[in-house]
Amino acid sequence: MHERKNTHKVGLIGTGMVGASFAYALMQRGVADELVLIDADRARAEGEMMDLNHGLSFVRQMRIIAGDYADLADADVIVISAGIGQRPGQTRLELLQTNAGIFRQIVPQITAVNSDGIVVVATNPVDILTYISAEAVGLGHTRVLGSGTVLDTARLRYLLGQHYGVNSRSVHAYIVGEHGDSELPLWSLANIGGVPLSDFVGANGQGYDQAALDRIFDQTRNAAYEIIQRKKATYYAIGLGLLSIVEAILRDQHTVMTVSSPLAGEYGVNDISISMPTIVGRSGVEEVLTLPLSEAELAAFQASAQTLKERLSHL
Ligand SMILES: NC(=O)c1ccc[n+]([C@@H]2O[C@H](COP(=O)([O-])OP(=O)(O)OC[C@H]3O[C@@H](n4cnc5c(N)ncnc54)[C@H](O)[C@@H]3O)[C@@H](O)[C@H]2O)c1
């Protein structure tokens, strides 16, 4: 780990829609002092640098540059959102070959200059790319984590909040597993203000209704397909999700988030990166929580891990 510095430096590799949305959110939150933008398309990184810098007189001051890997030497956190995204109808797993090739170029260039920054992966398929990065980094799996189902969990909380007429921040419910088609909701642990969903009745009269919950999960799982069909890509919500992960690291917040991290036997799963509620702080992954899952949830989680392992084995 870095000695505690007074400044926070963030690197961003891939300044496309996701990267730029994250950068825009980061500068508004005021948690970083420096941001280095890197993209294979240098002009794109420079254009984002100029546009973001022109907004600096409206927010807390920071330094934003378009740079090279050498500029990442003292970065505390490096976010990777480089690579291709889904086209309409395409699954995240179909992006694997191309994006794994891109990661094989990027990760060694990070490790060549930076030995202790935390690497946050957003590129899809995020679980497999997180695992590949962790293996390539080779400095302990805690240094690398993926955005995993952080976005899916936010989508679920939003939809449940709408359904019951409560603030989504008062909804405690998680999507775990693959960030993709085999993900699952942990209904057995979901609650609103401590009241299990099976007992909760909203002020709008909405009570327990499993069919409605199933529909909400379907909407959550298919959200990216729906958005991509309409506007070609999703980026604002993931930009904010990445911001909350980076903030948890920079501020050492010990925040519980459904990030993806390589498991070593937790829930009977190993040798793959996958999402479960996890404590995130200055050292990256601090602890994957041990939750009392139902038998069906545990089986679905293990099946999701198996799906990822099969894809990884074909790489
Ligand atoms: N984790 C999530 O929840 C989540 C959500 C939305 C999108 N995504 C994923 O994020 C990724 C990026 O999506 P986007 O919409 O920003 O795509 P985009 O096409 O807008 O941007 C990708 C950027 O990566 C750059 N790039 C490609 N190869 C590179 C390399 N070798 N080095 C540096 N930069 C390189 C490109 O030049 C481009 O600027 C996709 O894989 C997408 O599926 C993840």
Side-chain angles (χ1 to χ4, degrees):
M1 250 354 275
H2 281 303
E3 289 303 309
R4 284 291 171 116
K5 307 180 294 180
N6 290 327
T7 58
H8 289 149
K9 183 168 180 175
V10 176
L12 172 64
I13 303 171
T15 59
M17 299 311 294
V18 170
S21 302
F22 160 69
Y24 184 53
L26 181 75
M27 78 181 272
Q28 292 179 67
R29 187 66 63 93
V31 286
D33 302 286
E34 257 189 280
L35 174 62
V36 179
L37 305 173
I38 297 177
D39 198 288
D41 178 354
R42 172 88 190 183
R44 192 165 186 178
E46 285 174 358
E48 293 300 350
M49 169 194 73
M50 293 160 77
D51 202 359
L52 292 167
N53 274 330
H54 298 166
L56 274 182
S57 62
F58 304 112
V59 297
R60 180 179 172 274
Q61 294 306 288
M62 66 183 290
R63 182 166 179 259
I64 304 173
I65 61 163
D68 296 306
Y69 283 89
D71 297 307
L72 299 181
D74 56 347
D76 303 285
V77 183
I78 298 160
V79 174
I80 312 179
S81 54
I84 58 166
Q86 293 162 268
R87 291 191 301 276
Q90 203 176 23
T91 71
R92 295 178 179 93
L93 288 175
E94 286 170 319
L95 309 173
L96 181 56
Q97 294 295 343
T98 305
N99 287 346
I102 289 174
F103 269 58
R104 286 195 198 96
Q105 291 172 7
I106 291 176
V107 175
Q109 295 189 79
I110 297 173
T111 54
V113 295
N114 184 311
S115 60
D116 55 7
I118 306 298
V119 176
V120 178
V121 177
T123 307
N124 279 317
V126 65
D127 301 291
I128 297 182
L129 294 176
T130 301
Y131 189 71
I132 292 174
S133 305
E135 292 285 290
V137 168
L139 289 171
H141 283 178
T142 58
R143 239 190 100 186
V144 183
L145 53 93
S147 58
T149 54
V150 166
L151 175 58
D152 316 71
T153 292
R155 286 172 171 153
L156 181 73
R157 291 174 69 189
Y158 164 73
L159 290 169
L160 287 172
Q162 291 288 300
H163 181 70
Y164 290 106
V166 297
N167 186 332
S168 57
R169 297 180 108 171
S170 306
V171 176
H172 305 285
Y174 298 116
I175 297 284
V176 301
E178 173 198 358
H179 171 54
D181 298 340
S182 69
E183 68 189 24
L184 59 136
L186 296 183
W187 290 135
S188 73
L189 298 169
N191 70 81
I192 295 174
V195 183
L197 284 194
S198 48
D199 299 334
F200 188 83
V201 180
N204 59 6
Q206 204 59 249
Y208 178 71
D209 174 356
Q210 189 58 48
L213 295 183
D214 292 344
R215 275 196 303 277
I216 285 171
F217 170 54
D218 262 0
Q219 274 178 277
T220 303
R221 187 175 40 191
N222 293 326
Y225 294 114
E226 294 290 332
I227 297 170
I228 288 166
Q229 225 168 47
R230 290 168 172 80
K231 56 172 259 183
K232 296 195 170 63
T234 79
Y235 35 88
Y236 296 131
I238 184 59
L240 288 166
L242 290 168
L243 169 65
S244 65
I245 297 170
V246 169
E247 188 175 17
I249 297 167
L250 292 177
R251 292 205 195 276
D252 200 17
Q253 284 177 332
H254 315 291
T255 307
V256 175
M257 313 179 89
T258 49
V259 293
S260 183
S261 68
L263 296 193
E266 295 94 336
Y267 303 93
V269 171
N270 48 35
D271 301 327
I272 193 68
S273 185
I274 190 165
S275 291
M276 262 291 165
T278 299
I279 301 177
V280 179
R282 183 75 191 187
S283 55
V285 171
E286 295 186 337
E287 187 188 341
V288 178
L289 297 186
T290 305
L291 302 179
L293 307 188
S294 73
E295 253 176 58
E297 287 165 349
L298 180 61
F301 178 71
Q302 290 175 339
S304 183
Q306 200 50 40
T307 303
L308 289 170
K309 278 173 115 164
E310 268 159 31
R311 288 309 290 234
L312 180 65
S313 71
H314 291 136
L315 195 63

